[in-house]
Amino acid sequence: MRMLDGKVAIITGASSGIGKAAAELFAAHGASVVLVARRDAALASAVDEIEAQGGRALAVAGDVTEAGTHDKAVAAARATFGGVDVAFNNAGSVGTMGPLAEIEPRQWAEVLAANLTAAFLGTRAQIPAMIEQGGGTLVFTSSFVGNSVGLPGMGPYGAAKAGLMGLVRGITADYAAAGIRANALLPGGTATDMAGDAAQREWAAGLHAMKRIARPEEIAQAALFLASDMSSFVTGSALWADGGNAAVKL
Ligand SMILES: NC(=O)c1ccc[n+]([C@@H]2O[C@H](COP(=O)([O-])OP(=O)(O)OC[C@H]3O[C@@H](n4cnc5c(N)ncnc54)[C@H](OP(=O)(O)O)[C@@H]3O)[C@@H](O)[C@H]2O)c1
């Protein structure tokens, strides 16, 4: 069953990892996809791969901490594909790590900008376009970090990722009656560039009841559920796709 036939989806952080896997999966399920990230060569090759599989895709290169990037993505989605039905606001980065009292205010602000403010900036560009066409759905990549665990040195990142839980509730309060759904996706450790080297991945695997980290495709499948009408009564909510990290203390 194709779960996004005829839909248009914006996916941020689509140059690698979870976002790239989601772009491929959403396109395979019939969505026209708009890929957003800074690395334009990586975006172009992701678009080529999707088109080679018969999908419809375009790239918008830009920084998600800038409002204009989201405006451009929405404009491109409408001009080329006729609207915006789904926004997977997935881009993020760990940023500066360290004990909180040693984090400079500027470093804190950078982590919040990349992981939380960027999601707000996406929201404010995407929602008006969705409302104009009668509704839409937003999915935000949060994390197990900051929600089910605190990890040493990851205070700013965890705070930003926890903030996304408040954002989805706020969007729900403001826009559920207008046909907008918003949900957070909380991956556990996932085998992407962000997961670090083999030793770091092995350490992360031990934090999960399943004793492994996810493949990016597994997180993309959870995003597909939240993006599609399969989750039509799910909003203001959170989906843990975390190999049992939140459920089991080891
Ligand atoms: N991997 C994990 O263990 C894990 C666990 C839980 C949650 N997450 C979250 O999952 C999401 C995707 O990460 P990933 O694991 O797939 O890692 P990744 O491969 O490093 O992907 C991160 C993506 O975000 C984009 N990005 C980062 N900062 C950006 C900015 N300022 N402007 C535009 N794009 C930006 C990157 O693109 P460019 O560099 O091309 O801009 C890249 O496409 C992130 O929100 C991350 O926090 C990851």
Side-chain angles (χ1 to χ4, degrees), residues 12-20 36-40 42-43 62-65 69 89-94 113-115 118 141-145 157 161 164 185-195 213 216 219:
T12 72
S15 56
S16 60
I18 293 167
K20 183 170 185 236
V36 182
R38 293 165 299 187
R39 285 171 290 168
D40 49 4
L43 282 184
D63 190 320
V64 292
T65 66
T69 299
N89 290 302
N90 161 78
S93 57
V94 171
N115 294 285
T141 307
S142 179
S143 177
F144 72 121
V145 180
Y157 177 79
K161 292 301 192 185
L164 290 172
L185 174 60
L186 285 72
T190 306
T192 66
D193 295 347
M194 196 178 279
I213 59 173
I219 305 304

Side-chain angles (χ1 to χ4, degrees), residues 176-203:
I180 304 290
R181 294 191 300 112
N183 291 289
L185 174 60
L186 285 72
T190 306
T192 66
D193 295 347
M194 196 178 279
D197 61 21
Q200 289 167 313
R201 290 174 187 218
E202 194 180 326
W203 175 80

Side-chain angles (χ1 to χ4, degrees), residues 85-172:
D85 302 291
V86 172
F88 183 26
N89 290 302
N90 161 78
S93 57
V94 171
T96 305
M97 291 179 62
L100 277 160
E102 295 171 25
I103 297 289
E104 296 294 333
R106 175 186 53 79
Q107 297 167 328
W108 168 269
E110 284 168 0
V111 178
L112 271 284
N115 294 285
L116 183 57
T117 306
F120 157 70
L121 294 174
T123 297
R124 77 186 280 284
Q126 295 147 4
I127 284 181
M130 291 177 175
I131 286 180
E132 213 171 284
Q133 64 189 56
T137 182
L138 301 104
V139 181
F140 298 89
T141 307
S142 179
S143 177
F144 72 121
V145 180
N147 288 296
S148 49
V149 297
L151 291 182
M154 297 184 81
Y157 177 79
K161 292 301 192 185
L164 290 172
M165 303 287 278
L167 180 66
V168 301
R169 294 183 184 120
I171 295 169
T172 303

Side-chain angles (χ1 to χ4, degrees), residues 224-248:
L224 175 62
F225 168 71
L226 292 174
S228 78
D229 291 341
M230 292 291 283
S231 58
S232 56
F233 201 57
V234 181
T235 195
S237 189
L239 176 59
W240 264 259
D242 71 346
N245 170 272
V248 179

